[in-house]
Amino acid sequence: KAGVTQTPRYLIKTRGQQVTLSCSPISGHRSVSWYQQTPGQGLQFLFEYFSETQRNKGNFPGRFSGRQFSNSRSEMNVSTLELGDSALYLCASSLEVGVGTLFNYGYTFGSGTRLTVV
Amino acid sequence: SQQGEEDPQALSIQEGENATMNCSYKTSINNLQWYRQNSGRGLVHLILIRSNEREKHSGRLRVTLDTSKKSSSLLITASRAADTASYFCATVERGGADGLTFGKGTHLIIQP
């Protein structure tokens, strides 16, 4: 069974540019979440998608956005990049079916996209 | 925002010894999960314990949860060099509105 696939693995961008990261979840997983990891702030929740709808959003500015397609693949976009956006961006998928249900499943994470903004 | 706080921040032990990491959190939770991360790669899910459970085992891992103290512990028995990694606890709050809320992690080093 293929794991969660994130592309690209590494990315270098210039301040002010925009970037799109891609995530393919495990087949059958409809929940896809995104996290940012930095040495200073640790792991922070960006947003979660379920069946093409953004279900939850973390405390990030509107420059961070995402979407999910009908095949559950997800993309996240960061516009007007800042130096502080340099981070490891992790995507995770889960079998979890909905908010309020009994959580029985953990999340499977991809290897991440390391974004460097110069 | 960070909810969980792991203790200690770093731990170095000899191979074969047991390693214990603790995690504290602040709000009411649906469940608590432990993850391992090797050298800045993706996280690997280790174990999930629900709020109505007190203890759970998986292979060499033992997790306890005390909701009255808002704390959890992860015990790794008979440690191996391959267990060297960072370990994170993550909580899912009631209602699950904020995804996984992670602590800052414990960096575990197993000396051969």
Side-chain angles (χ1 to χ4, degrees), chain B residues 95-110:
Chain B
D98 295 318
L100 288 171
T101 304
F102 285 89
K104 292 188 182 297
T106 292
H107 186 53
L108 175 65
I109 297 172
I110 309 298

Side-chain angles (χ1 to χ4, degrees), chain B residues 1-23:
Chain B
S1 62
Q2 299 285 331
Q3 152 133 267
E5 292 290 334
E6 283 92 340
D7 170 54
Q9 288 188 328
L11 179 61
S12 180
I13 60 173
Q14 295 295 123
E15 197 167 19
E17 294 181 336
N18 295 342
T20 299
M21 288 158 268
N22 301 297
C23 166

Side-chain angles (χ1 to χ4, degrees), chain B residues 1 21 51 60-61 86-87 100:
Chain B
S1 62
M21 288 158 268
S51 60
R60 295 184 295 113
L61 306 180
S86 292
Y87 291 81
L100 288 171

Side-chain angles (χ1 to χ4, degrees), chain A residues 59-105:
Chain A
N59 189 25
F60 277 82
R63 299 185 297 107
F64 291 82
S65 64
R67 58 179 175 168
Q68 186 180 32
F69 301 95
S70 59
N71 62 358
S72 293
R73 192 177 69 83
S74 177
E75 288 180 347
M76 69 162 279
N77 185 76
V78 188
S79 62
T80 319
L81 283 165
E82 301 176 0
L83 295 179
D85 296 334
S86 294
L88 180 65
Y89 289 88
L90 293 163
C91 168
S93 72
S94 174
L95 265 174
E96 212 56 66
V97 295
V99 175
T101 61
L102 289 175
F103 282 77
N104 293 311
Y105 307 102

Side-chain angles (χ1 to χ4, degrees), chain A residues 2-117:
Chain A
V4 176
T5 304
Q6 289 189 247
T7 56
R9 288 293 311 277
Y10 301 93
L11 207 49
I12 300 176
K13 288 286 190 178
T14 304
R15 264 184 307 175
Q17 288 187 314
Q18 68 95 26
V19 67
T20 299
L21 311 181
S22 179
C23 172
S24 293
I26 288 176
S27 178
H29 287 195
R30 288 190 290 163
S31 169
V32 175
S33 305
W34 288 89
Y35 293 82
Q36 182 197 64
Q37 186 176 28
T38 60
Q41 298 299 315
L43 282 151
Q44 294 190 288
F45 171 69
L46 280 157
F47 25 65
E48 183 204 2
Y49 287 87
F50 182 80
S51 293
E52 301 180 66
T53 301
Q54 186 180 89
R55 194 161 63 176
N56 299 302
K57 191 178 193 306
N59 189 25
F60 277 82
R63 299 185 297 107
F64 291 82
S65 64
R67 58 179 175 168
Q68 186 180 32
F69 301 95
S70 59
N71 62 358
S72 293
R73 192 177 69 83
S74 177
E75 288 180 347
M76 69 162 279
N77 185 76
V78 188
S79 62
T80 319
L81 283 165
E82 301 176 0
L83 295 179
D85 296 334
S86 294
L88 180 65
Y89 289 88
L90 293 163
C91 168
S93 72
S94 174
L95 265 174
E96 212 56 66
V97 295
V99 175
T101 61
L102 289 175
F103 282 77
N104 293 311
Y105 307 102
Y107 290 79
T108 302
F109 281 79
S111 295
T113 294
R114 187 165 294 281
L115 172 65
T116 303
V117 182

